[in-house]
Amino acid sequence: MSKTTPSHPELGQWADGPLQLLTTPLSTNPTSASVFVPCASEMAVVHNMIIRSFNSIVIQAPHFEPVDVVDFVNYALMWHLLVKKHYEGEEHMLFPELEKCIGVEANGIMDGNIEQHSRHAPHRGFPGWAQEYSRLSKSILEKPSSYSGEELVSIMSSYGKALQEHLVDEIPTLLALEKFGDKIPVRELNNKEGKAVMGALGVLTGLVFCLTVTDTTHENGLWKEFLPILPPIKWLLQNVFPLWHSSWWRFAPCTPSGQPRRMYAAPA
């Protein structure tokens, strides 16, 4: 796994490592007139949510009391849900729509990303780390005394590098689609896929989880308004809905309003 410079050293060991967060194209090219730059950047923000939550699980897994096992595993399963729905949205909606817009010129342009999905995505029927992760987590909920933080970390660490490689590689692929210009209504497709994924996550679970793994201070607050949620709904997601599973969100790296905080079971 990659080494990274801590973004919040005052918080102790935090969720910006061991996997490195992505730098968004918009943060390095803020004056770009291309719509593909903000769209690829928004994809990078989602990937950072996946990375940040992955890191929070790996860091905390060995460091809490047995009484916290069920809450932690439920939190960890929210990461699995996010990855699953995100990959499904890409593979069943975004990627096919992109290739449909491009037509014969596509020539399998998304094939590399789809092939990576076949190795990494938890919704596939293949035997692999994601399936093992889900099976292990659910078995622990049935028998909490079987929990081993070291085993969970081992599963995640064994595929951490490959997962990050996929999350990184997808961004330049999206940027490269700019050469097709107006053939691709990329803003419309991005919004459609994002809305579908958000709708599949669950208001009291997956959406609250997303808020708690979104650092609104990242890249000097560039993405503090990233999630396209109406203000009244956002207020409920930040202030009311987290009460339902508040013991799960203790393990999150951010508050529901996106402020970084010391993680519950992270070493100092």
Side-chain angles (χ1 to χ4, degrees):
M1 295 190 191
S2 306
K3 293 183 179 179
T4 184
T5 301
S7 53
H8 302 290
E10 74 281 3
L11 300 178
Q13 192 171 0
W14 199 70
D16 47 7
L19 298 188
Q20 279 191 301
L21 297 171
L22 278 59
T23 299
T24 66
L26 190 62
S27 70
T28 57
N29 191 11
T31 60
S32 173
S34 169
V35 69
F36 288 87
V37 169
C39 286
S41 296
E42 289 166 10
M43 185 69 75
V45 173
V46 174
H47 288 184
N48 278 340
M49 292 161 60
I50 292 170
I51 291 171
R52 211 174 275 119
S53 46
F54 176 100
N55 289 338
S56 72
I57 295 167
V58 169
I59 289 170
Q60 296 180 90
H63 300 295
F64 52 82
E65 299 298 323
V67 68
D68 295 320
V69 165
V70 171
D71 290 332
F72 179 79
V73 172
N74 275 309
Y75 169 77
L77 280 170
M78 290 297 99
W79 173 79
H80 184 273
L81 175 67
L82 172 61
V83 178
K84 181 178 188 292
K85 296 304 178 183
H86 174 63
Y87 279 33
E88 284 177 349
E90 289 181 337
E91 192 166 318
H92 300 312
M93 185 178 297
L94 182 60
F95 293 171
E97 288 286 345
L98 287 171
E99 293 198 334
K100 181 180 177 181
C101 291
I102 299 168
V104 293
E105 296 177 70
N107 194 29
I109 194 169
M110 306 305 296
D111 284 355
N113 300 109
I114 293 172
E115 189 276 331
Q116 286 180 329
H117 276 201
S118 72
R119 287 185 278 126
H120 306 151
H123 67 280
R124 304 291 291 224
F126 67 100
W129 69 269
Q131 190 175 43
E132 184 180 2
Y133 176 91
S134 177
R135 183 170 56 247
L136 174 64
S137 298
K138 291 174 181 178
S139 70
I140 292 168
L141 292 180
E142 294 175 0
K143 187 181 179 182
S145 62
S146 67
Y147 175 78
S148 167
E150 290 74 17
E151 183 180 9
L152 185 60
V153 170
S154 177
I155 291 172
M156 298 187 75
S157 298
S158 66
Y159 276 86
K161 183 178 180 181
L163 174 64
Q164 185 173 42
E165 177 187 342
H166 166 64
L167 297 176
V168 169
D169 287 351
E170 209 166 81
I171 307 307
T173 299
L174 292 175
L175 289 172
L177 296 176
E178 184 179 10
K179 65 184 178 183
F180 297 104
D182 293 340
K183 279 190 173 184
I184 304 176
V186 65
R187 168 54 63 201
E188 177 185 336
L189 296 180
N190 225 36
N191 290 346
K192 180 181 178 182
E193 189 258 347
K195 184 177 180 180
V197 171
M198 289 179 62
L201 286 173
V203 172
L204 299 180
T205 51
L207 285 181
V208 174
F209 176 79
C210 287
L211 292 176
T212 66
V213 296
T214 300
D215 177 2
T216 57
T217 71
H218 185 61
E219 296 184 335
N220 297 316
L222 181 62
W223 304 103
K224 63 182 179 180
E225 302 296 337
F226 165 64
L227 292 174
I229 304 172
L230 292 173
I233 303 300
K234 190 172 184 179
W235 186 89
L236 290 170
L237 282 166
Q238 291 176 334
N239 297 282
V240 179
F241 296 159
L243 299 175
W244 264 259
H245 301 293
S246 59
S247 57
W248 299 4
W249 316 133
R250 292 179 296 162
F251 299 97
C254 302
T255 67
S257 61
Q259 289 299 304
R261 65 182 178 190
R262 187 180 295 275
M263 294 189 297
Y264 175 76

